[in-house]
């Protein structure tokens, strides 16, 4: 597995270094294929929890998204889909901030409040607001075979979102409104026709917190 660790480190360095200048469609597709292959390798699929590597992989995917959207104009989006990863990057201006930031699977952001977009863009799109905000990049990804935390050893899909202004990822704290994710599950024939899946909600108070939801029908996960 040392060779896999080295491959991930090299990939992370290369993607991170090239993100600012951008990736064409072929380069993005080949990079995504490499990411997907690593997620299938024993380093991630063996069952050995390593959140440090998972974090490095998540950072690499974020850098790939930054490179995919570099040079785009407001309203454009770019995407790649592999067996183990789905990634979509949006560049929004004031006319496209209300777009649906979702992956093709339906997973994504059900509500991205204006306060988050204002913070990322450095200004408000409201009429009469002083100055024009920067275009905001919204990057949504879903990865397979990653761990939520070292403590419980739970392996699952990882849904991540990054916000940035003019190609730079920004940290956003203390939002007045929550960012709401929508993660649909495939139909499970074990469920009765009238089964109400309902909605689970949770509040994340800091970036180190892991939200855990318990479902009374485990076969849906």
């Amino acid at each position: 597995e040392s060779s896999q660790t080295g491959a991930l480190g090299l990939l992370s360095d290369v993607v991170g270094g090239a993100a600012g200048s951008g990736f064409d469609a072929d380069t993005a597709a080949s990079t995504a294929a490499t990411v997907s292959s690593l997620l299938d390798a024993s380093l991630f699929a063996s069952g050995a929890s390593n959140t440090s590597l998972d974090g490095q992989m998540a950072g690499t995917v974020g850098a790939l998204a930054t490179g995919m959207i570099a040079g785009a104009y407001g309203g454009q989006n770019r995407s790649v889909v592999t067996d183990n990863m789905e990634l979509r990057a949006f560049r929004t201006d004031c006319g496209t901030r209300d777009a649906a930031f979702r992956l093709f699977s339906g997973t994504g952001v059900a509500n991205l409040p204006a306060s988050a977009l204002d913070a990322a863009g450095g200004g408000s799109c409201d009429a009469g607001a002083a100055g024009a905000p920067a275009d905001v990049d919204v990057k949504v990804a879903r990865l397979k075979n990653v761990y939520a935390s070292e403590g419980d050893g739970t392996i699952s899909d990882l849904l991540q979102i990054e916000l940035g202004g003019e190609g730079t990822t920004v940290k956003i704290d203390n939002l007045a409104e929550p960012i709401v994710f929508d993660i649909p599950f495939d139909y499970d024939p074990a469920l009765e026709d009238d089964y109400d899946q309902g909605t689970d909600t949770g509040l994340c108070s800091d970036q180190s917190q892991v939200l855990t939801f318990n479902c009374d029908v485990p076969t849906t996960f």
Side-chain angles (χ1 to χ4, degrees), residues 72 127 131 140 164 166 176:
V140 184
E166 296 183 335

Side-chain angles (χ1 to χ4, degrees), residues 1-69:
E1 293 185 353
S2 60
S3 61
Q4 298 172 25
T5 305
L8 175 57
L10 177 60
L11 179 66
S12 179
D13 290 343
V14 171
V15 173
S21 56
F23 304 112
D24 60 28
D26 289 341
T27 302
S30 62
T31 303
T34 302
V35 169
S36 184
S37 178
L38 281 171
L39 287 170
D40 244 350
S42 59
L43 187 66
F44 289 93
S46 65
S49 177
N50 190 324
T51 53
S52 176
L53 290 175
D54 294 334
Q56 188 176 13
M57 177 62 83
T60 301
V61 171
L64 173 59
T66 297
M68 287 168 54
I69 207 68

